[in-house]
Amino acid sequence: MEPIMNQIRSRVFQRLHRAAVLPRRKHSGCAEQAAVPATTNSRKNKPTLLVSRLYQPANLRDMGLQGEMTCKSQRLMQQAGLIYQSNPGCYYYLPATVRSMEKLVRVIDQEMQGIGGQKLDMPSLCSADLWKTSERWDLMGKELFRLKDRHGADYCLGPTHEEAVTTLVAHQATLSYRQLPLLLYQITRKFRDEPKPKFGLLRGREFYMKDMYSFDVSEEAAFETYESVCQAYTRLFARLGLRCVQVQADTGNIGGKLSHEFQLPADIGEDRILVCGNCSFSANVETLSQETSDCPNCKTGKLEESKGVEVGHTFYLGKKYSNIFNATFSSAQNKPCIAEMGCYGLGVTRILAAAIEVLSTEEGIRWPGLLAPYQACVVPPKKGSKMDGAAVLAEELVHTLGETLPRLRGEVVFDDRTQMTIGKRLKDASRLGYPYVIVVGQGALEETPRFEVICQLTGETMFLSKDGLLDLLGRVETV
């Protein structure tokens, strides 16, 4: 074996040596020509984001449909090659989904940091000792993924991090009242052993969540922080164009004195919510008597029931965890005081799926504008058709959009599958849900070029000049 390895090393060294000392041959060969950099004049205007190169394998789409499709968002996401189930309740998030999720994370970061949130990252592997100290090790029951290390110590995969973050703050012995409110948050994978995972990303065993934890000097200050987070959630959903309802909720096994859910009305929703038609009161049915039909707030309005998907949850915890773990701060009188706490969750992957559920048609995905994986898709004519001359114009258009509208750089894809008819490619574009699809056809060859523009969210089709197209796409918001 050693003589063979020596021969291989010798050959590799000789090749590296020749590459370093020999001048590059200038005649048109094979390997040399293939190595021409993409920045040469012959290729500098070529689109770089090609539909044919996007990783959305058709065979995965077909295989994904073999299981039971329990809701629209699950079916559409698997048909579009956005997710692929690895085992019950766990999914591969394919590249387009990751792009969308990263955009949602940026929006969340903007809103959380806008109210003073600081981002950190806590271990997913949590010691059982912390959970036993808070008495939630037994309270959570079978929902916890539990495991032992090689030394026999008990751990769980964190579904939430109240114990962990409170312990972290408790170990900071020098925390002053001047540093409060302290808002710490993370966006990480969470784990819950769902008895029957269903609805795709709406109810899984492994998912992404934003969880924030606040520490305040007093109950009054904690309520102010609580309200500021609720307002940030309201702004976030408004930016996404989602009509969420903030409802009174049960504190459940998280505990605390006050709780609200942010519910996205949807027929597939597992929660039942009651909304007053006369005032702003709304609540989860779990918090009211079964016989309640009159509004407990205004006394005159009637409560109307609907279904909803919970996409956010806020809790005022008081001193439940800070007492247990001794999370204190130094007051103005230099005395140790127990901090008042709150915790606030957002289901990141659930928001994606819920948005698709309520916005989409039965045939194609419709994204919140800010979260679309790509903002536009340019479709050139079929190769060999009478409009084949517009193909070059289509490539130039992609380049122009990136140069003229910097916000759209990396947001425009080119459907280079010109062996397919325009109709088939438009069907694919609808399935994936690009907000704008631009067809470069016969109209682009006219004296005053015109482009067919399809707005997927509204279903409207427009015929625009180049300037009109730039004006339209120039108003597109990105994050």
Side-chain angles (χ1 to χ4, degrees):
M1 178 63 71
E2 187 62 28
I4 294 175
M5 291 304 298
N6 287 335
Q7 292 177 22
I8 294 174
R9 292 191 190 100
S10 177
R11 291 172 188 167
V12 170
F13 177 79
Q14 291 173 8
R15 289 173 184 171
L16 290 173
H17 180 70
R18 284 200 300 269
V21 301
L22 294 179
R24 184 181 297 273
R25 282 173 287 180
K26 296 184 179 180
H27 64 80
S28 173
C30 303
E32 289 83 358
Q33 187 151 359
V36 174
T39 53
T40 59
N41 290 334
S42 63
R43 304 188 69 178
K44 70 178 181 180
N45 290 334
K46 294 284 185 181
T48 55
L49 289 172
L50 305 176
V51 170
S52 66
R53 300 297 302 276
L54 299 182
Y55 188 67
Q56 296 173 278
N59 65 306
L60 291 187
R61 305 184 199 182
D62 298 335
M63 290 172 64
L65 296 178
Q66 292 178 350
E68 181 186 2
M69 296 295 104
T70 52
C71 66
K72 179 169 62 177
S73 58
Q74 181 184 11
R75 175 176 58 80
L76 290 174
M77 293 186 81
Q78 293 194 193
Q79 283 179 334
L82 296 177
I83 58 175
Y84 177 67
Q85 182 172 291
S86 59
N87 47 70
C90 299
Y91 289 85
Y92 293 92
Y93 305 139
L94 299 184
T97 304
V98 171
R99 280 183 62 89
S100 182
M101 191 162 63
E102 287 174 344
K103 291 179 179 184
L104 177 54
V105 168
R106 287 198 287 272
V107 178
I108 293 173
D109 284 339
Q110 290 170 2
E111 294 298 338
M112 294 303 98
Q113 292 170 20
I115 58 173
Q118 301 179 64
K119 197 171 186 179
L120 78 170
D121 198 346
M122 292 180 275
S124 293
L125 193 62
C126 303
S127 168
D129 292 339
L130 292 180
W131 285 73
K132 290 176 181 177
T133 300
S134 69
E135 299 182 348
R136 289 209 295 170
W137 182 257
D138 294 323
L139 182 64
M140 294 290 285
K142 295 181 179 180
E143 188 174 302
L144 278 182
F145 274 107
R146 304 162 194 261
L147 62 157
K148 291 180 180 288
D149 68 7
R150 66 180 65 194
H151 307 294
D154 289 319
Y155 291 87
C156 68
L157 297 177
T160 183
H161 279 72
E162 285 79 11
E163 288 84 357
V165 74
T166 312
T167 300
L168 175 69
V169 172
H171 280 95
Q172 184 180 344
T174 58
L175 187 64
S176 166
Y177 74 96
R178 294 188 179 89
Q179 296 170 270
L180 304 183
L182 177 63
L183 288 84
L184 302 174
Y185 79 99
Q186 62 177 352
I187 299 176
T188 60
R189 288 180 184 265
K190 295 290 192 293
F191 304 86
R192 289 179 186 166
D193 194 358
E194 292 283 352
K196 188 178 180 181
K198 56 182 177 179
F199 302 140
L201 300 189
L202 291 178
R203 181 167 292 281
R205 289 176 154 185
E206 182 180 8
F207 52 92
Y208 278 90
M209 189 173 88
K210 187 282 302 180
D211 47 324
M212 174 183 273
Y213 306 91
S214 63
F215 298 82
D216 274 282
V217 298
S218 66
E219 185 173 311
E220 180 182 4
F223 277 119
E224 290 179 4
T225 297
Y226 186 95
E227 183 60 28
S228 72
V229 176
C230 288
Q231 291 174 0
Y233 279 17
T234 300
R235 287 192 301 271
L236 184 147
F237 290 117
R239 289 179 64 185
L240 299 181
L242 299 175
R243 185 179 67 86
C244 266
V245 182
Q246 181 181 342
V247 305
Q248 177 181 303
D250 186 12
T251 56
N253 56 37
I254 299 290
K257 303 177 181 179
L258 177 67
S259 176
H260 286 90
E261 294 168 346
F262 286 78
Q263 293 277 355
L264 190 60
D267 292 337
I268 198 67
E270 296 183 279
D271 291 309
R272 294 161 55 210
I273 58 178
L274 296 170
V275 179
C276 177
N278 191 50
C279 70
S280 60
F281 178 82
S282 56
N284 191 309
V285 295
E286 297 174 344
T287 67
L288 299 176
S289 169
Q290 291 292 330
E291 295 78 28
T292 301
S293 60
D294 295 329
C295 177
N297 184 47
C298 69
K299 309 299 183 184
T300 58
K302 295 294 182 181
L303 297 177
E304 299 176 2
E305 184 176 320
S306 62
K307 293 181 178 181
V309 175
E310 179 193 330
V311 288
H313 208 149
T314 58
F315 300 85
Y316 167 56
L317 300 175
K319 296 178 180 178
K320 175 181 177 178
Y321 295 92
S322 50
N323 255 327
I324 293 172
F325 295 102
N326 197 34
T328 63
F329 64 94
S330 297
S331 68
Q333 292 75 37
N334 202 30
K335 294 181 179 180
C337 297
I338 299 293
E340 294 276 345
M341 288 181 61
C343 71
Y344 318 90
L346 283 174
V348 178
T349 40
R350 183 178 286 189
I351 289 173
L352 286 185
I356 289 172
E357 189 71 40
V358 300
L359 295 178
S360 300
T361 68
E362 290 295 331
E363 291 75 34
I365 290 174
R366 302 294 177 263
W367 299 91
L370 285 178
L371 304 187
Y374 300 96
Q375 291 295 331
C377 177
V378 175
V379 180
K382 182 180 180 180
K383 188 174 183 180
S385 70
K386 295 179 181 179
M387 301 176 291
D388 200 15
V392 175
L393 296 178
E395 293 182 1
E396 291 176 352
L397 178 63
V398 176
H399 178 72
T400 299
L401 291 176
E403 289 295 310
T404 309
L405 306 173
R407 283 187 299 179
L408 291 187
R409 288 175 187 167
E411 293 287 343
V412 181
V413 298
F414 183 76
D415 196 338
D416 60 323
R417 299 171 302 164
T418 53
Q419 77 279 5
M420 297 169 56
T421 65
I422 287 180
K424 287 183 178 179
R425 284 177 285 161
L426 287 180
K427 187 175 181 179
D428 270 1
S430 177
R431 177 179 288 176
L432 186 59
Y434 304 102
Y436 297 94
V437 179
I438 306 158
V439 180
V440 183
Q442 186 63 45
L445 297 174
E446 297 175 359
E447 185 176 350
T448 302
R450 292 183 307 121
F451 303 95
E452 181 181 350
V453 183
I454 303 167
C455 177
Q456 300 269 41
L457 194 58
T458 65
E460 181 183 6
T461 299
M462 300 165 280
F463 292 88
L464 302 176
S465 65
K466 186 176 181 179
D467 288 341
L469 176 61
L470 291 174
D471 180 63
L472 174 69
L473 297 183
R475 298 194 295 268
V476 171
E477 290 187 48
T478 57
V479 62

